[in-house]
Amino acid sequence: MNSTLLKKMIKISELPIPTDNLYKFIAISGLIILLLSIVLPLYWSNDLQSKAIELGTEIAVLQMKNDLLGEDVRKVEKQLSTTENSNGVIGKETKQLHEKSKNDLRSIQFSTIEIKGKINLQEYYLKMLKKISIYAFLGIVIGLILSIYGFKFWYIKLQQPLDLQLYSIINKNDR
């Protein structure tokens, strides 16, 4: 029983590997990788760039609000200091201005934190853009190598011998 099993195993190992499908698979896989390495990074980079531009606009608006609120606070503080110096008594309007300036200062602190977060997010998007371009380049190179390798070996090792065989059959039939 062992000898028949051994003979069957030898016969199975003598079977030719279907390299035709392997080379076509490698070539088509390379083409798919190549196409995905071109299309997907373009889509992702456009998306990330638009988000970075939106964040840049939001950052500029928040910084402008901060600057305006800062000016308002400085004006109120100046008014408070002149009011206290002239009478020594703080009036109702001055107290309201003082409360408003405190709220403005709090608002400035919150928007400053928000600005920092948005700047960090924008920097992250820009780093991702750099990574995407590196991965896209690697994908294009790998895709090209696989495609060239697959098509080359499919044509040289398989298609040319089949063409020669077919050509010889056609020449024999013509004679």
Side-chain angles (χ1 to χ4, degrees):
M1 177 138 178
N2 284 340
S3 63
T4 58
L5 182 62
L6 185 61
K7 288 179 184 178
K8 285 182 182 180
M9 288 178 66
I10 292 172
K11 287 182 180 179
I12 291 174
S13 66
E14 291 174 3
L15 290 175
I17 297 173
T19 55
D20 181 37
N21 292 333
L22 177 66
Y23 292 134
K24 285 181 183 177
F25 173 76
I26 290 171
I28 291 171
S29 297
L31 286 176
I32 290 171
I33 291 171
L34 178 68
L35 290 174
L36 290 177
S37 297
I38 293 171
V39 173
L40 288 179
L42 286 175
Y43 172 75
W44 290 332
S45 65
N46 285 337
D47 185 45
L48 287 176
Q49 283 177 342
S50 67
K51 286 180 181 179
I53 290 169
E54 287 174 12
L55 281 174
T57 305
E58 288 180 34
I59 289 168
V61 168
L62 287 172
Q63 285 177 337
M64 180 64 82
K65 284 181 181 178
N66 266 2
D67 294 342
L68 293 174
L69 285 173
E71 287 176 18
D72 290 345
V73 168
R74 284 189 288 281
K75 286 178 186 176
V76 168
E77 287 174 349
K78 189 175 182 180
Q79 273 185 328
L80 284 174
S81 65
T82 57
T83 305
E84 285 180 357
N85 289 340
S86 61
N87 341 8
V89 178
I90 299 176
K92 186 177 180 181
E93 289 179 14
T94 310
K95 285 183 182 179
Q96 287 175 347
L97 283 175
H98 184 65
E99 288 301 316
K100 182 185 179 303
S101 69
K102 284 183 182 179
N103 290 335
D104 289 347
L105 280 173
R106 287 185 195 115
S107 177
I108 288 173
Q109 291 170 344
F110 286 125
S111 63
T112 301
I113 292 169
E114 191 177 357
I115 287 171
K116 288 178 183 177
K118 290 188 185 263
I119 288 172
N120 289 338
L121 187 60
Q122 188 179 34
E123 288 172 357
Y124 170 75
Y125 286 156
L126 296 175
K127 286 178 186 176
M128 289 303 295
L129 282 170
K130 288 179 185 176
K131 286 182 181 180
I132 286 172
S133 64
I134 291 170
Y135 290 136
F137 177 75
L138 289 174
I140 289 170
V141 169
I142 291 170
L144 280 173
I145 290 171
L146 287 175
S147 295
I148 291 169
Y149 171 82
F151 282 122
K152 177 183 174 187
F153 283 106
W154 170 73
Y155 182 73
I156 291 172
K157 290 187 176 185
L158 298 167
Q159 193 61 45
Q160 277 184 340
L162 287 174
D163 289 344
L164 289 173
Q165 185 181 12
L166 183 63
Y167 183 72
S168 66
I169 291 171
I170 291 172
N171 283 340
K172 283 181 185 178
N173 288 341
D174 285 342
R175 289 183 192 173

